[in-house]
Amino acid sequence: MGGSAVTLNHFPLVVVLLLSAPFVQSFYLPGVAPHDFEKVGGCERKCSIPGAELQVKVNKLSSTKTQLPYDYYFLDFCNPNKIVNSAENLGEVLRGDRIENSIYTFKMRTDESCKVACRKMLTAESAKNFKEKIDDDYRVNMILDNLPVAVNRLKKDGSHSYEHGFQIGLKGPGGSKKDAKYYINNHLSFKVMYHKDLETDEARIVGFEVTPISINHEYKTWDEKNPRLVTCNSGTKIVPGSTVPQEVGVNKEIIFTYDVTFEESSIKWASRWDTYLLMNDDQIHWFSIINSLMIVLFLSGMVAMIMMRTLYKDIANYNQLETQDEAQEETGWKLVHGDVFRPPVKSGLLCVYVGTGVQIFGMTLVTMIFALLGFLSPSNRGGLMTAMVLLWVFMGLFAGYSSARLYKMFKGTEWKKNTLKTAFMFPAILFSIFFVLNALIWGEKSSGAVPFGTMFALVFLWFGISVPLVFVGSYLGFKKPAIEDPVKTNKIPRQIPEQAWYMQPAFSTLIGGILPFGAVFIELFFILTSIWLNQFYYIFGFLFIVFVILLITCAEITIVLCYFQLCSEDYHWWWRAYLTAGSSALYLFLYSIFYFMTKLEITKFVSGVLYFGYMLIGSYAFFVLTGTMGFYACFWFVRKIYSSVKID
C-alpha cells in the first residue's frame, strides 16, 4: 500500500501535500453539497412555489452525554393522527436515525405567529421521562427539505455558529436532584431562509433555524377547534427571557406552540450546507496539521534514504566476495538466507489476517474516493455507513484471493479451512461485540438498537454475498502458480543468536507503532469529535492525504525494523512485520481512553461500555489494516534484497 515502501525521493508527495491543502480546505466549503439529495421532506421543486405546504420531519433525540438515541415520540410530544416512518437506508438505521412526520407544517413564504400544536397533560411516567432526558442534555433533531434544524449561537468574538438541534428543556436551580425544577421548551420559533430566483418568483430553502422558548401559556376557556391563548396571539412575537417558563411535573398542563418566519437569503441553494459544516466551535488549524504531517513525512523520507544507502552498500559488498573463505566470514542479513523464507508458526492464521487486511484496505480506499467525489457528503444522510458496509461485503473477493496466494506460498494443504477462517473469523469477532452492544442498547429502549430486520439483512449480506465471494477469490488464488522464493530454504533451521534488549520482539513492535500513530493522531481528534460529539466530518480530501502518509509510514518503519532484525540474524520476521505496524492500534485505543477522560461527559455505565466497545472494534480494524500494509511492505523488501545478491 503506497507503492514502493522505501523511496529516495518524497518530493512529489510533498508537492502534492502543499498544493492540495488549499484545494482540500475548499473541497466541501464553497458549494459543499453537489449531491444534496432531496429524499427527506419530499420537497424537490414544489417547495419553490409560494404557499406550498412544507412538512417538518422529526428525527431522533440525541445526547453526547449518553450516546443513546431515542425516537422523537418516546417523549410525550405532540403527534399527528398517524405517525409515518420515512424510508431509511442501511446507514441511517445503523446510526439510530428514526425519521417520522410531525404536526409542524408551514406554508412557503407565509409567516405565522403563535400557532397551537397541541395540549398535553403530563402523567407521572411522561414527566419522569422528560426530566431524565433534560438531565442528560438531550436535543431534538428536526428536518426540513433535507436540512437539519439548528440553533444560531453568538460566540464571544462576535461570530455566529450553529448547534445541532435544540434542547428539550432546562434544569433550574435546586438544592438536590429531587428538589430541582425542570422547564420544557414548549414554544418553537422557526426561521426558514430561502433564496429567490431573480428571473422568476420561485425560491429554494437554504436555511432552517429555531429558537426554543419555555413559556407557561394561559387561556380563559379552551376551544379545541380554535384555541386562543392569553400569553400569545397571532399579532405577538415571543421573545426569549420575557416569559414565565413552563415547569415539568405530574398533572402539569403543557401547551405546545410555534411560529415561523421566512427570510430571504443571499446563500445559494448549492452552498446551503456550508454553514452547517462550520458548526464546529474548534476550527481546524490547517497550518499545525500540515506542519505535523510534513514532519512525519520528512522523517520517514530521511529514514528511507539512510536505509537505501546502507542496503546498497551491503549488496555491493556481498556481491564482491569471491573466495569461499571470504564468504564464510560474512555477517549480517545474508547469513540467514537459508531460513528467511521458512514458513512461520501459525502461517494459516497469518494468511487469514493478511486477507482480511486487504479487504479493509479495499473498503477504505474506495469509500474515500467516493467521499472525495462528493457522493458521501453529510447531505446524503447515512450514505457513508451504507457505502462502507456494502464495500466491505464485495471486497471479500480480494480477501479470499490474497489469503489463498499467501497460503499456497507457505505450501498449505487445507485450503477450504483457510478460506472459511478468512470468511468468518474477523466478521464473527465484530458481529459478536456488535450483538452484545446492541443488546445493551435494546435494554435501554433506545432507537439506536438495530431492528431484527436490519440485523437479518446484515447477516444475509455476510453469508449470502461476502462468504461466497471469499470462496471465489480463494479459488482464483489457488489456481495461480505458487509464489517462488528467490533463495532456497535449508532443511535444518539455523540457530538464532541471543538478541540485544532493544531487539526483543515486544519492545521493537511497540516502538514501531509510535510513528504510524503520530501520522494520524491529530486527524483522529476531529474524527472522534464528529462521531461522539454529534458534529459533521467533511474534510475527506485532507483525510485521504493523511491516509496515504499513514501507509507510507507503516511501510517504512516496518522495513527499517525488519532490516535491523535480519542484520542481527533473527529470521522470524513474518509475524514481527505484521505486529510492528499493527501495534499502532494499541496507541489508538490508549488515545481513545484519553479522549474519553478529557473530552466526553459520559457517566452512564451502558454509555461507557458502548464507547469502549465501538472503539475496540475500530482499533481492531485499524490493527488489521496497518498490520497488513506493514507485512506487504516487508514482504516486498525481503524478496527484493535476497534476489539482489549472488548466493551459491
Side-chain angles (χ1 to χ4, degrees), residues 469-484:
L469 284 177
V470 171
F471 270 88
V472 171
S474 183
Y475 173 77
L476 295 174
F478 272 104
K479 290 280 285 183
K480 288 271 187 180
I483 301 170
E484 294 292 333

Side-chain angles (χ1 to χ4, degrees), residues 22-78:
F23 164 74
V24 171
Q25 184 176 5
S26 62
F27 197 93
Y28 273 133
L29 294 184
V32 67
H35 302 277
D36 193 1
F37 303 106
E38 301 299 337
K39 62 171 185 169
V40 181
C43 240
E44 296 181 353
R45 295 297 299 179
K46 70 181 182 182
C47 285
S48 61
I49 305 168
E53 186 176 279
L54 307 178
Q55 174 72 56
V56 175
K57 302 280 186 178
V58 290
N59 200 350
K60 61 187 177 185
L61 306 173
S62 59
S63 168
T64 56
K65 274 191 174 183
T66 68
Q67 303 295 335
L68 294 168
Y70 283 88
D71 185 274
Y72 175 81
Y73 295 110
F74 177 82
L75 296 180
D76 201 9
F77 286 119
C78 300

Side-chain angles (χ1 to χ4, degrees), residues 43 126 185 302 362 429 562 648:
C43 240
S126 58
N185 288 320
M302 287 170 61
I429 292 172
C562 180
D648 297 327

Side-chain angles (χ1 to χ4, degrees), residues 220-380:
K220 292 181 180 178
T221 55
W222 182 260
D223 183 356
E224 196 67 45
K225 294 183 178 179
N226 186 25
R228 292 173 179 262
L229 302 175
V230 175
T231 43
C232 75
N233 53 63
S234 58
T236 61
K237 177 81 174 176
I238 299 176
V239 180
S242 63
T243 59
V244 176
Q246 173 64 61
E247 188 180 345
V248 177
V250 182
N251 296 326
K252 288 277 186 182
E253 183 184 61
I254 298 179
I255 299 172
F256 291 91
T257 56
Y258 68 98
D259 58 53
V260 57
T261 55
F262 286 82
E263 183 180 294
E264 190 171 353
S265 172
S266 59
I267 298 172
K268 293 184 178 179
W269 186 82
S271 304
R272 66 183 190 154
W273 271 85
D274 292 6
T275 314
Y276 289 85
L277 298 182
L278 293 174
M279 294 167 85
N280 190 354
D281 290 332
D282 300 316
Q283 295 298 318
I284 296 177
H285 302 289
W286 290 99
F287 178 79
S288 64
I289 294 179
I290 292 176
N291 186 53
S292 300
L293 295 175
M294 291 290 286
I295 290 171
V296 172
L297 189 62
F298 278 119
L299 178 61
S300 303
M302 287 170 61
V303 170
M305 283 196 290
I306 295 169
M307 190 69 234
M308 291 297 283
R309 285 185 180 181
T310 308
L311 198 56
Y312 283 141
K313 188 178 178 181
D314 285 349
I315 292 171
N317 289 339
Y318 287 145
N319 289 337
Q320 286 172 3
L321 298 175
E322 296 178 357
T323 67
Q324 188 69 23
D325 293 336
E326 288 177 323
Q328 287 176 356
E329 292 174 2
E330 68 186 25
T331 58
W333 54 267
K334 190 184 177 185
L335 264 180
V336 296
H337 66 82
D339 298 276
V340 75
F341 290 104
R342 190 180 304 281
V345 179
K346 295 191 180 296
S347 57
L349 185 63
L350 179 63
C351 296
V352 170
Y353 268 102
V354 169
T356 304
V358 171
Q359 187 176 10
I360 295 175
F361 170 70
M363 175 197 73
T364 307
L365 183 66
V366 178
T367 300
M368 284 192 180
I369 292 171
F370 279 139
L372 280 169
L373 296 174
F375 291 111
L376 304 178
S377 69
S379 60
N380 183 15

